[in-house]
């Protein structure tokens, strides 16, 4: 799944955002017939598609997963709101120069403001975010999502 050209999901969630058994009961699907495995696989695909549609509409990741966010310039020099929420953790911030050289930005040069509505990457002490070289990019690897399974989704 992609939330625009600048966010890439590194691994799909291990599960759908709803319990499949509860969804099947809600839809009053029959049980015990031949071909049930195919129905279960289809139901999981529909649940994942519905979850992705909801996530796109609300700007929230329901199931926790790891993503990368690439930006060519900061819209504001002191804070950058994440494209998804919630963001419990930032794993790495790195910048790429015009010649393709990647440099890790030390965690002392940025701060995660883990707000439930609008999490942001901010500069330390209200200072500026790390500088993105001309014709370069910044890449932020982070985790977004409420929980590891349907039980963690509000």
């Amino acid at each position: 799944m992609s939330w625009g050209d600048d966010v890439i999901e590194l691994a799909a969630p291990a599960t759908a955002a709803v319990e499949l058994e509860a969804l099947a009961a809600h839809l009053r699907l029959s049980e015990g017939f031949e071909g049930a495995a195919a129905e279960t696989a289809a139901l999981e695909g529909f649940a994942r598609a519905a979850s992705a549609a909801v996530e796109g509409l609300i700007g929230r990741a329901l199931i926790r997963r790891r993503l990368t966010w690439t930006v060519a310039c900061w819209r504001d020099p002191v804070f950058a709101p994440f494209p998804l929420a919630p963001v419990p953790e930032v794993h790495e911030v790195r910048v790429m120069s015009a010649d393709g050289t990647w440099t890790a930005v030390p965690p002392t040069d940025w701060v995660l403001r883990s707000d439930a509505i609008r999490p942001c990457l901010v500069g330390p002490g209200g200072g500026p975010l790390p500088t993105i070289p001309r014709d370069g990019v910044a890449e932020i690897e982070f985790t977004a999502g409420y929980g590891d399974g349907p039980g963690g989704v509000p």
Side-chain angles (χ1 to χ4, degrees):
M1 164 178 273
S2 176
W3 287 269
D5 294 336
D6 55 354
V7 178
I8 297 172
E9 191 174 75
L10 297 177
T15 181
V18 297
E19 296 284 348
L20 292 182
E21 296 81 21
L23 180 59
H26 175 76
L27 296 173
R28 298 181 184 179
L29 298 178
S30 59
E31 296 179 12
F33 292 100
E34 189 176 325
E39 272 189 11
T40 301
L43 184 62
E44 183 173 6
F46 295 143
R48 285 178 182 269
S51 296
V54 168
E55 288 177 337
L57 289 171
I58 65 173
R60 305 275 185 265
L62 300 175
I63 300 294
R64 194 169 287 160
R65 73 202 76 163
R66 213 164 173 152
L67 305 112
T68 59
W69 174 35
T70 305
V71 294
C73 65
W74 305 117
R75 292 183 184 174
D76 186 289
V78 295
F79 80 100
F82 281 87
L84 284 173
V87 176
E89 184 177 7
V90 172
H91 304 283
E92 185 179 22
V93 176
R94 54 190 168 263
V95 293
M96 184 184 74
S97 62
D99 67 1
T101 304
W102 286 98
T103 305
V105 178
T108 55
D109 290 355
W110 52 268
V111 176
L112 167 63
R113 189 168 66 202
S114 190
D115 182 86
I117 306 286
R118 191 175 187 202
C120 297
L121 191 69
V122 297
L129 287 163
T131 302
I132 299 174
R134 184 182 179 121
D135 296 326
V137 296
E139 186 175 83
I140 301 95
E141 188 172 321
F142 66 102
T143 296
Y146 288 102
D148 294 324
V153 176

